[in-house]
Amino acid sequence: MRARARISTTAAVFALSALALTACGGNDDSKADGDKTSASASASTGSSSGDSAGSASKTKGTGTGGGGSSTGDKDTSSGTGGSNGGDSGATSACSTKNTEVAFVQSGEHAGEQAPATGFIQVTNTSNAPCTIVGATTLTAKDDQGKAAPIETDNAGNGTDAVDVKAGGTAKAYVAYTDVNFEGSASGREVCAVQASKVEIALPDDVARTVNVTKDGGAAGSFNVCTTDVRVGAFETA
């Protein structure tokens, strides 16, 4: 009886050990399965995140490119508009190519309180407006060459842009002294410079020589007794 009892007890111990081992093995398998499932889920999540990030990156890149293209189109359009606007308001400079110039002596002699006043006249001979902007130069040379030339301009009296319409004219008045107040009565009209011609240069243009005339068109003389000659700003007639 004791032998059987020991055998039964031993068998029971083996049985319990086997169950314990089986239980341990089952836990390892479950853990392995759990790790596989977790790894699979992580891989799936990583793949999904990568795809989403890639898609977002592609979408962002496309959007940026589209914005750049759109901005470029706007810049081009704006530049074209600006160019057209500038062309529509542009005028040619008044020069020897599109104008005639005259110099008219003063109709009255200078007095002690007021100068003689002649004028430069510019006539636009073209079919489009032209602009005078800048300093116009006037040079008078003595016909006999006995005195130094007198040169002056209107830089100090206003050189703002003046548009002269096609066929129109502009005038700049010239103040000077044509009487010698220190001389005798018979020599009052004898000045150092007596010029039948003058040179006139419009802004940024070559000088041209013109005859001095009276107001009616007859031949005249630009008699200058002092060096104080002032040219005013141009005004349209």
Side-chain angles (χ1 to χ4, degrees), residues 82-235:
S83 176
N84 290 339
D87 291 342
S88 64
T91 59
S92 300
C94 295
S95 67
T96 55
K97 297 179 180 179
N98 54 15
T99 61
E100 290 181 352
V101 175
F103 183 84
V104 179
Q105 73 174 60
S106 176
E108 298 181 359
H109 290 300
E112 293 186 5
Q113 301 299 324
T117 305
F119 60 87
I120 300 170
Q121 179 170 288
V122 176
T123 302
N124 184 351
T125 58
S126 71
N127 296 322
C130 70
T131 301
I132 303 173
V133 55
T136 294
T137 303
L138 170 66
T139 304
K141 298 178 180 179
D142 179 52
D143 288 344
Q144 304 300 320
K146 295 181 179 180
I150 292 175
E151 181 175 331
T152 186
D153 59 42
N154 62 350
N157 295 311
T159 55
D160 292 339
V162 175
D163 293 331
V164 186
K165 65 183 180 180
T169 61
K171 290 181 179 180
Y173 289 93
V174 180
Y176 62 102
T177 300
D178 65 343
V179 175
N180 183 1
F181 295 106
E182 297 179 356
S184 62
S186 60
R188 291 189 65 187
E189 296 181 17
V190 178
C191 297
V193 174
Q194 300 183 51
S196 59
K197 298 179 179 181
V198 294
E199 294 180 0
I200 298 172
L202 293 177
D204 300 319
D205 194 26
V206 297
R208 67 185 99 181
T209 301
V210 300
N211 294 325
V212 178
T213 66
K214 296 180 180 179
D215 198 15
S221 180
F222 185 41
N223 296 336
V224 185
C225 290
T226 69
T227 58
D228 185 19
V229 180
R230 299 183 300 277
V231 182
F234 275 98
E235 300 175 358

Side-chain angles (χ1 to χ4, degrees), residues 32-122:
D33 291 339
D35 293 342
K36 289 180 180 179
T37 301
S38 177
S40 176
S42 298
S44 176
T45 302
S47 175
S48 176
S49 299
D51 293 342
S52 298
S55 298
S57 176
K58 291 179 180 178
T59 303
K60 184 177 180 181
T62 303
T64 302
S69 174
S70 176
T71 302
D73 293 342
K74 289 180 181 178
D75 289 342
T76 302
S77 175
S78 176
T80 303
S83 176
N84 290 339
D87 291 342
S88 64
T91 59
S92 300
C94 295
S95 67
T96 55
K97 297 179 180 179
N98 54 15
T99 61
E100 290 181 352
V101 175
F103 183 84
V104 179
Q105 73 174 60
S106 176
E108 298 181 359
H109 290 300
E112 293 186 5
Q113 301 299 324
T117 305
F119 60 87
I120 300 170
Q121 179 170 288
V122 176

